[in-house]
Amino acid sequence: MKCARRFLCIPVVWLACGLALAHGLEGKPEWNTFGMPGTPGAATRTIALVAGDMRYSLKTVAVKSGETIRFVITNRGPSKHEFVIGDRAFHAQHIKEMEAMPDMPMDEANSVDLKPGETKSLTWRFTRPGDYLFGCDIPGHFQAGMSGTIKVR
Ligand SMILES: [Cu+2]
């Protein structure tokens, strides 16, 4: 009886470990393409942006590869917005998730949620040259023009 139970338990534990590992890795690899979370102390520059009514105050941000930037975003619009750093594929996937679960809180290291009037900062280290995007992935916002390009060279 004890033996039988042990044999049942082992595959369950392995399955749980496998799932936990897969989930843990799931959100990470795509970050490699557009950078990684940065520590505020390592930031070489601060870039301030205002999120307004379906737009940001900046359309393009130029960054050197390897640079750590502290973004400070203020929401002066009448509704809630996000500031999300990603590549095109990340935003496409995230917009789909937001459409499926509009109330899902975003607390990933590459994003901040901003209520009207709120100011938050996000520090990001850009590790690879390329054209990336910042944007608001709340359904309809990105498509309405709430995005900008981050040129990493
Ligand atoms: Cu928005």
Side-chain angles (χ1 to χ4, degrees):
M1 187 58 198
K2 220 175 186 177
C3 261
R5 208 184 292 161
R6 185 170 292 171
F7 275 112
L8 269 176
C9 275
I10 290 168
V12 168
V13 167
W14 274 102
L15 184 67
C17 280
L19 285 174
L21 193 65
H23 186 77
L25 292 173
E26 189 184 57
K28 307 303 174 197
E30 76 263 34
W31 284 6
N32 294 335
T33 64
F34 55 87
M36 60 191 285
T39 47
T44 49
R45 272 197 294 155
T46 295
I47 296 178
L49 284 103
V50 173
D53 196 9
M54 298 302 159
R55 58 183 288 277
Y56 293 103
S57 56
L58 293 176
K59 258 296 173 198
T60 310
V61 169
V63 173
K64 280 191 214 101
S65 185
E67 209 176 358
T68 298
I69 304 287
R70 182 169 168 262
F71 293 93
V72 177
I73 314 99
T74 300
N75 182 2
R76 294 213 198 285
S79 51
K80 190 182 142 183
H81 291 297
E82 291 182 331
F83 178 81
V84 184
I85 294 172
D87 54 14
R88 201 160 282 283
F90 184 91
H91 283 286
Q93 174 64 31
H94 186 224
I95 288 167
K96 250 189 242 167
E97 287 168 13
M98 292 290 288
E99 278 166 355
M101 290 178 285
D103 297 323
M104 181 179 67
M106 261 309 276
D107 57 357
E108 296 286 343
N110 62 329
S111 76
V112 287
D113 275 337
L114 300 135
K115 291 189 207 95
E118 216 170 13
T119 297
K120 282 187 184 173
S121 68
L122 192 157
T123 305
W124 196 256
R125 188 172 158 222
F126 294 91
T127 52
R128 264 195 226 186
D131 283 352
Y132 308 107
L133 294 156
F134 59 87
C136 175
D137 293 340
I138 291 174
H141 293 206
F142 194 97
Q143 298 87 329
M146 215 167 172
S147 70
T149 308
I150 305 170
K151 289 180 184 290
V152 183
R153 298 293 182 268

